[in-house]
Amino acid sequence: MFPHPSLSDSDIMDNKTQLKTQLFGIDIDVLNMEGAISRLRDWIENGDQRCRYVVTPNVDHAVLFQENSQLREAYEGAGMVLADGHPIVWTSMISGKRLPERVAGSELVPELFDSFNKQGKLRVFLLGAAEGVGATAAENMKRTWPNVETVGVFSPPMGFEKSDEQCELILDKLAEAQADVVIVGLGAPKQELWVSKYVDRIPASAALCVGATIDFLAGEKKRAPVWMQRSGIEWVHRMCSEPKRLVKRYARDAWIFPQLVCRQLFGWKQHA
Ligand code: UDP
């Protein structure tokens, strides 16, 4: 459908020779699912005791990114930035960039579990989602991926991020669990801001900021049918399942995102 994308002028290599490309002002890793899993495995198996985190920009993040300087800072500190959302990948193609495929957070997590289930063992902490959802997810995970052990589950109360006490409680639970990976499902931009603030105190090799993934693991929310995912209209499915929360957001995104695409194609000005 699109010409084969080639390396463009704005593609950059960062200081760890990771190939990135810039879209909407966001430096996104040029990685497919396999590459992302391989890098995660490397962090987990050959890590240096420090936690690295993953963010997964979709259309909504791209819009938020323009107006939220804290989110931009959180993105800067991320160890991996993966394109979640076909519109992001399509824009990369028509603007001559080279994102190979969509790497959705909600797919990255089961792929990671599959990988360790086949080879190795993985200790996981589930942080976020409504009370009880994490426990259901853990039960399902045990059946599907016996080599993936859920070593902790916690659903922080609403507004926890404003309370030092609540944040310390989460850090205590993480310290107790000593997981390899923390699956963080607190919604954007809360999850990115929280993880970037506390990353130095998270005793795990990786923290994955992946929205509703814990709900999907629990079967609490259903992902859109594959044809909708492939056509780039998964958001329609999500909006219909949570109209109250999402209609306003998607209306804003539908107005702003095309403008971002135009700026991407016809000239991008950096943030001041
Ligand atoms: N969530 C949470 N605590 C909060 C806010 C949200 O645990 O303070 C959870 C919510 O229960 C859901 C997830 O975060 O499991 C939101 O996922 P979604 O992908 O919908 O996030 P968004 O699209 O808002 O980034």
Side-chain angles (χ1 to χ4, degrees):
M1 188 154 108
F2 297 108
H4 184 71
S6 58
L7 204 61
S8 80
D9 290 346
S10 62
D11 287 328
I12 51 163
M13 302 287 256
D14 71 9
N15 55 10
K16 286 167 271 160
T17 63
Q18 291 175 181
L19 185 59
K20 290 178 181 272
T21 196
Q22 197 178 77
L23 277 171
F24 318 116
I26 307 174
D27 290 333
I28 303 179
D29 284 274
V30 179
L31 280 173
N32 59 10
M33 180 64 81
E34 200 185 337
I37 295 294
S38 156
R39 195 178 296 170
L40 275 176
R41 283 200 75 117
D42 184 49
W43 293 356
I44 293 163
E45 292 169 332
N46 311 312
D48 52 8
Q49 305 288 316
R50 87 186 154 102
C51 183
R52 295 171 172 86
Y53 60 94
V54 177
V55 296
T56 59
N58 57 19
V59 167
D60 188 51
H61 291 208
V63 170
L64 286 176
F65 187 90
Q66 311 308 314
E67 63 201 32
N68 187 330
S69 60
Q70 287 179 310
L71 182 63
R72 291 199 289 275
E73 276 169 33
Y75 261 58
E76 263 172 38
M80 201 157 33
V81 180
L82 298 171
D84 182 336
H86 286 297
I88 305 280
V89 177
W90 291 335
T91 310
S92 89
M93 289 176 167
I94 55 176
S95 58
K97 309 273 177 169
R98 60 194 310 257
L99 289 177
E101 66 178 352
R102 176 188 189 200
V103 186
S106 51
E107 284 160 24
L108 181 75
V109 171
E111 290 279 346
L112 181 71
F113 294 170
D114 273 343
S115 172
F116 273 94
N117 199 50
K118 282 187 203 128
Q119 196 188 359
K121 286 210 179 299
L122 188 70
R123 293 166 61 82
V124 176
F125 192 104
L126 303 177
L127 175 62
E131 189 72 47
V133 174
T136 308
E139 278 169 31
N140 293 347
M141 285 163 57
K142 201 170 165 184
R143 274 195 299 275
T144 315
W145 299 284
N147 288 340
V148 175
E149 186 188 357
T150 305
V151 291
V153 168
F154 187 55
S155 167
M158 282 296 160
F160 75 91
E161 71 281 6
K162 297 186 203 97
S163 155
D164 290 343
E165 205 178 304
Q166 284 295 335
C167 293
E168 289 301 326
L169 178 65
I170 296 174
L171 292 166
D172 286 348
K173 287 181 185 289
L174 292 174
E176 204 178 306
Q178 294 293 312
D180 298 308
V181 177
V182 185
I183 308 297
V184 189
L186 298 168
K190 195 181 290 186
Q191 58 199 9
E192 290 80 9
L193 301 191
W194 193 87
V195 168
S196 71
K197 182 171 177 187
Y198 291 104
V199 65
D200 293 339
R201 297 180 57 197
I202 298 177
S205 299
L208 314 183
C209 301
V210 286
T213 298
I214 300 172
D215 297 282
F216 295 137
L217 290 169
E220 194 69 21
K221 287 182 188 168
K222 294 267 175 279
R223 287 201 67 195
V226 174
W227 69 268
M228 283 183 114
Q229 294 176 32
R230 289 204 180 130
S231 325
I233 55 167
E234 191 167 9
W235 61 273
V236 175
H237 182 268
R238 290 209 64 192
M239 190 170 71
C240 294
S241 57
E242 290 180 86
K244 262 197 189 149
R245 185 168 81 95
L246 296 178
V247 163
K248 216 169 124 195
R249 176 197 296 186
Y250 285 135
R252 178 199 59 184
D253 293 352
W255 170 245
I256 295 177
F257 188 69
Q259 299 176 41
L260 298 184
V261 174
C262 289
R263 281 166 68 193
Q264 181 64 45
L265 296 180
F266 305 116
W268 185 261
K269 286 202 179 71
Q270 287 287 353
H271 303 287

